[in-house]
Amino acid sequence: MSDFVSRLRSIVGDKGLITDEQGKHPFLTDWRENYLGRALAIVRPANTQEVSEVVKLCAAEGVAVVPQGGNTGMSGGATPQEDGREIVLSLTRMNRILDIDKVGYTMTVEAGVVLKTIQEAAADADRLFPLSLGAEGSCTIGGNLSTNAGGVQVLHYGNARQLVLGLEVVQPNGDIWNGLRALKKDNTGYDLRDLYLGAEGTLGIITRAVLKLSPKPRDNATSWSAVPSPQAAVELLSGAYAASEDNVTSCELMGRQGIDLVLQHIPGTTDPLAEKHDWYVLMEWSSTRPASVGDNAAGLRDKMEAYLGEAMEKGLVLDAVIAQTEAQSKALWALRENHTEASKQEGPSIKHDISVAVSKIPPFVPEGVAAMNKALPGCRPLVFGHVGDGNLHFNCQAPAGWTKPQFAPYIEPISSAIYDLVTAYGGSISAEHGIGRIKVEELAHYRSRTELDVMRQLKRALDPHNIMNPGKVIRV
Ligand code: FAD
Ligand code: 2HG
Ligand code: ZN
């Protein structure tokens, strides 16, 4: 193996290789610290050609490759196995923005660019790249595309899949597929691009992408509403589409338990309302029309105020605030975006990243909470998420003070109860975080034999030697 490592070195140089145990460590564990793997080396190529040569060498030597971006994934997909026979291929040195086409509303980037850098570059060019999530300061666009990430603006702009026009992908045999086309229309046979989006690094390595940009909003409004129930939340959103003139860009639901954890663990956060309530909705409206133009003079904030006033009269809203400044808006968003961090600090939890039809959210929530409480009396249901997409993080926080080993025996019964219910509702057991390693068994259980057979056939056809991220998503 020392020969293999020195051949890697001859491709990527000293700068592109980490072989000491201390240096390797951050790449060998996932954000949630569920897994700790081992690897022959961490390889950090500087360009597509180097990625291709590394993969060719690995294919020849039968060494598997685990692609990794910002390593913020929730499903363990970027962590190598424990046997130490794989390499981690980190894309983080490939972090250049290659082109911004203001006229065509596109941006071409390397896979290792951090999402926030892309958002900022788009804003500097008076454009918007709308993908937005709590990990945006460290996740990479390659990871976002490979997990088909969602986030908080999906209901208006779509998920990662809808935000990309072209891809460049290094195949499991090392060949480079250049599909880096900035085309809105392209019906030339099977859509290869769509295969790699959401494939979690099991079919190839995304090295570059052409992203779709949108016009930058000129007006926006953020509100924080206490609502009596998930039913009220769904109705509030339903009416907001027309009231905002189709400008709802985010709608997030949160239970009180999550707010309490954020206030407890995240310094600087404060409760915006005087009294405590069971449920909250954070809504963002934004428009490309400036507040001062024509008949829109009232602006979104005024329209939102009028709408929430009506909703209060109908009993859909119990109390509400509308941010008057950008700082106030950010403070409201901090309460939402810090749920994941606060939950981690509080202790062990199980994540159920589920989706059901939006109209099914109201009956699903109480049934799901009851199912969790039945499986482990005293557990703490932590329900929050992208209600406008029918996607809730239906998580279960362990009873206060519990350790991971203490909680471990309850994971299977609790998750089965939730996933059985989701399936009965016609929903999905993974709305945005992917399957990775953590849900391989669940995917095999909850998807049909036909669906699994087609996935397996695809994997075998594209990666016959199972070089790309083996053991993730689907077993072959
Ligand atoms: P990694 O974690 O490095 O990798 C994720 C998967 O993609 C792995 O399977 C890996 O092998 C593969 N991969 C990475 N790069 C490539 C590549 N170039 N080519 C091929 N395969 C590759 N996710 C959401 O969808 N919505 C959210 O709202 C959201 N919020 C989050 C908030 C917090 C605080 C955190 C910590 C995570 C959140 N996530 C969310 C999960 C995570 O940020 C996303 O899944 C993100 O897209 C992962 O990007 P990454 O670069 O960190 O990928
Ligand atoms: C979010 O929406 C992320 O904040 C993470 O998808 C959710 O911690 C979670 O379960
Ligand atoms: Zn989410």
Side-chain angles (χ1 to χ4, degrees):
M1 273 303 152
S2 63
D3 179 45
F4 172 72
V5 171
S6 55
R7 283 159 73 195
L8 284 175
R9 196 181 305 277
S10 69
I11 299 169
V12 295
D14 284 335
K15 259 181 153 173
L17 201 64
I18 302 173
T19 52
D20 66 292
E21 292 309 316
Q22 203 188 342
K24 283 197 280 187
H25 184 78
F27 300 86
L28 301 179
T29 187
D30 59 314
W31 190 89
R32 297 175 61 191
E33 298 170 5
N34 279 336
Y35 303 103
L36 176 60
R38 290 167 58 222
L40 293 168
I42 313 300
V43 187
R44 303 177 66 221
N47 54 51
T48 304
Q49 195 54 41
E50 287 187 10
V51 176
S52 161
E53 287 175 36
V54 168
V55 174
K56 277 187 179 152
L57 172 64
C58 289
E61 296 294 327
V63 171
V65 179
V66 182
Q68 192 178 95
N71 201 14
T72 66
M74 295 268 117
S75 307
T79 309
Q81 310 286 346
E82 287 79 13
D83 62 16
R85 290 175 16 204
E86 302 174 325
I87 63 158
V88 171
L89 193 144
S90 165
L91 280 300
T92 47
R93 279 179 74 211
M94 292 176 54
N95 60 2
R96 286 177 307 157
I97 291 176
L98 301 169
D99 181 51
I100 298 180
D101 176 353
K102 280 187 71 167
V103 175
Y105 280 75
T106 64
M107 186 189 298
T108 306
V109 297
E110 290 184 319
V113 184
V114 167
L115 175 55
K116 198 169 182 27
T117 308
I118 292 175
Q119 295 168 345
E120 286 168 355
D124 288 348
D126 199 27
R127 300 287 180 264
L128 174 78
F129 185 62
L131 188 66
S132 172
L133 43 120
E136 63 199 24
S138 43
C139 62
T140 63
I141 191 69
N144 301 147
L145 298 178
S146 299
T147 56
N148 186 24
V152 294
Q153 303 208 89
V154 171
L155 93 172
H156 195 74
Y157 295 101
N159 50 23
R161 189 183 293 278
Q162 274 92 51
L163 303 175
V164 59
L165 293 174
L167 287 183
E168 176 188 75
V169 180
V170 171
Q171 307 294 303
N173 65 2
D175 284 355
I176 301 167
W177 170 57
N178 186 339
L180 217 52
R181 306 174 190 123
L183 302 177
K184 299 216 171 184
K185 300 180 102 173
D186 180 18
N187 287 345
T188 47
Y190 303 131
D191 194 331
L192 301 187
R193 177 195 63 188
D194 264 356
L195 278 181
Y196 300 104
L197 300 169
E200 301 181 55
T202 60
L203 300 179
I205 300 173
I206 296 174
T207 44
R208 291 192 283 176
V210 182
L211 306 173
K212 231 193 270 181
L213 303 178
S214 293
K216 195 163 142 185
R218 306 273 172 227
D219 187 15
N220 74 307
T222 315
S223 59
W224 180 268
S225 306
V227 296
S229 61
Q231 173 75 41
V234 167
E235 285 179 32
L236 184 67
L237 170 63
S238 179
Y241 289 123
S244 68
E245 296 169 358
D246 208 9
N247 287 313
V248 182
T249 37
S250 298
C251 184
E252 299 286 312
L253 175 71
M254 287 150 283
R256 181 68 209 182
Q257 303 88 337
I259 305 304
D260 284 336
L261 287 186
V262 171
L263 295 174
Q264 184 186 336
H265 292 288
I266 309 296
T269 53
T270 50
D271 196 334
L273 301 177
E275 283 174 33
K276 288 188 177 191
H277 300 271
D278 289 343
W279 296 99
Y280 299 90
V281 170
L282 174 55
M283 205 153 31
E284 180 92 19
W285 295 2
S286 46
S287 164
T288 50
R289 203 153 50 145
S292 56
V293 173
D295 62 353
N296 192 41
L300 286 178
R301 216 185 294 158
D302 295 340
K303 284 186 186 138
M304 188 181 253
E305 198 174 333
Y307 177 63
L308 292 180
E310 282 167 29
M312 252 185 206
E313 279 166 25
K314 290 184 197 153
L316 293 178
V317 168
L318 304 171
D319 195 4
V321 287
I322 296 178
Q324 300 300 316
T325 62
E326 207 185 321
Q328 284 175 7
S329 167
K330 280 191 174 148
L332 297 178
W333 272 106
L335 287 169
R336 162 63 184 89
E337 294 290 27
N338 279 304
H339 271 60
T340 304
E341 180 61 38
S343 162
K344 188 177 177 181
Q345 289 190 26
E346 174 69 8
S349 72
I350 319 170
K351 292 190 188 293
H352 304 112
D353 164 35
I354 62 99
S355 62
V356 295
V358 174
S359 52
K360 300 278 189 228
I361 292 267
F364 177 84
V365 170
E367 271 192 69
V369 167
M372 248 187 233
N373 282 323
K374 190 171 168 212
L376 175 59
C379 73
R380 295 178 286 170
L382 194 68
V383 178
F384 64 97
H386 321 289
V387 66
D389 312 325
N391 170 203
L392 292 181
H393 299 297
F394 215 82
N395 299 349
C396 180
Q397 195 79 33
W402 277 33
T403 61
K404 270 193 176 181
Q406 212 175 347
F407 194 38
Y410 296 95
I411 294 176
E412 201 280 325
I414 294 173
S415 293
S416 293
I418 297 303
Y419 293 148
D420 287 353
L421 189 65
V422 166
T423 305
Y425 270 88
S428 168
I429 61 160
S430 177
E432 55 175 16
H433 298 161
I435 300 300
R437 188 164 163 186
I438 201 162
K439 287 188 193 160
V440 173
E441 299 304 329
E442 280 88 349
L443 183 81
H445 181 74
Y446 289 102
R447 282 295 178 234
S448 71
R449 192 177 60 81
T450 305
E451 217 165 334
L452 294 165
D453 280 350
V454 175
M455 286 193 212
R456 222 174 271 120
Q457 283 162 20
L458 271 173
K459 169 74 174 164
R460 285 188 187 135
L462 296 179
D463 182 17
H465 304 296
N466 202 13
I467 293 290
M468 280 295 154
N469 218 358
K472 313 290 170 54
V473 183
I474 188 153
R475 293 227 170 84
V476 286

